[in-house]
Amino acid sequence: MHRILLFALILASLGLCLPAPAQVEMEWSLRHSRTLLMEPVWATVSIGNQTGRNLDLTPNGNARLRFDVEDRPTSLVRETGQPLVRRPVIIPPGETREVEVNLLEGYRILHGQSYMLLPVLEFGGTRFAGPRLSLEVQPGLVLLERRFGMPNQADARTVSLRQLHRERTDRLFFRLDAPTAGTCLGCYELGRLIRFFVPRLEQDSEGVFHVLHQSAPDRFVHSRIDSDGVPRGTAFYIAEAGQIRLVREADGQVAVTGGTPFEEDPERPGVLTAPSLPPSNPYAGQQIGELPAKGRAGPAAVRPAPARPAPRPASPAEEAVVW
């Protein structure tokens, strides 16, 4: 009897009587499971608060969201020291919030390889974990690389255009590096890539980089990024691959020639529409050949049928001979 009571007390002390329900529910997803090296790694985490208290994810709050980033089994990638959650997020009891974070800002993902990611929410001395997902990081195929500025100077830049296949299509990326400081200033996806047209790269007199590439059989994209890695804008054109190009003007500016730009719809601000195409038949509504006579044309005259020739009498040589 004493042994049974002692065993029951041990089970109660270990908390093995009934499993406690989860107080924090976490679901999350990656924007892209395959990324280019130094491209932002965006993740969206959905956090459901069932603790009965507010979850404060600010830097000085009572909860902290972090990730276990493994470059190989049992080996964690070091953190950068930057806060993962940039804006204040407070989750009241019984509610769910979505938090978007950039893992590249919080962790040193510096090599092209596969990583295993596990989200963790620390609250009240307890770790609540979500599902584990994999991330594939690739260096990409270098299509073009150019160096700008004097070597060993602070304003020296290295620009590379890289290709990565994801989501069943080829994508073009722009990567900007500062070789003197050994840092990457930015890596951006420029859109879908069709390799019938070799991408063009130019820099204007203000230090802005211009990239022109083909995204569809008759569609081209003109992207502008400054020397600090800040995007300046994107324009879309319709043209043929042998006509459109980047041209440096006399004042040092770079412009696109040989293409027709998309226009903004006046009825829907912010929506671009393709230029109107020429008619498939340029002679629609016109009559090819002789011009009709002036005035109203009368009924068409009926031509009589030609007369059939009369039968010719047979000659004596052609008469039938009967024996």
Side-chain angles (χ1 to χ4, degrees), residues 9 71 96 107 111 113 124-125 149 202 214 229 258 264:
L9 291 175
D71 53 359
T96 302
Y107 300 90
H111 303 284
Q113 63 176 72
E202 294 290 343
Q214 186 178 12
E264 185 175 1

Side-chain angles (χ1 to χ4, degrees), residues 316-323:
E318 296 176 348
E319 293 180 356
V321 180
V322 179
W323 297 94

Side-chain angles (χ1 to χ4, degrees), residues 159-228:
V159 177
S160 59
L161 300 181
R162 308 192 179 206
Q163 173 189 333
L164 178 67
H165 186 82
R166 77 179 174 199
E167 298 174 358
R168 300 183 179 182
T169 58
D170 291 332
R171 304 282 175 169
L172 182 66
F173 290 81
F174 175 93
R175 174 171 169 172
L176 180 64
D177 292 274
T180 304
T183 58
C184 177
L185 301 179
C187 183
Y188 305 100
E189 179 186 345
L190 303 183
R192 182 185 176 190
L193 173 66
I194 294 183
R195 297 186 60 182
F196 293 108
F197 176 82
V198 180
R200 304 291 197 270
L201 172 65
E202 294 290 343
Q203 186 183 30
D204 60 22
S205 58
E206 298 179 356
V208 178
F209 298 99
H210 297 253
V211 180
L212 180 67
H213 78 278
Q214 186 178 12
S215 61
D218 61 344
R219 305 291 174 90
F220 294 81
V221 183
H222 175 213
S223 306
R224 297 180 295 116
I225 302 174
D226 64 16
S227 58
D228 294 327

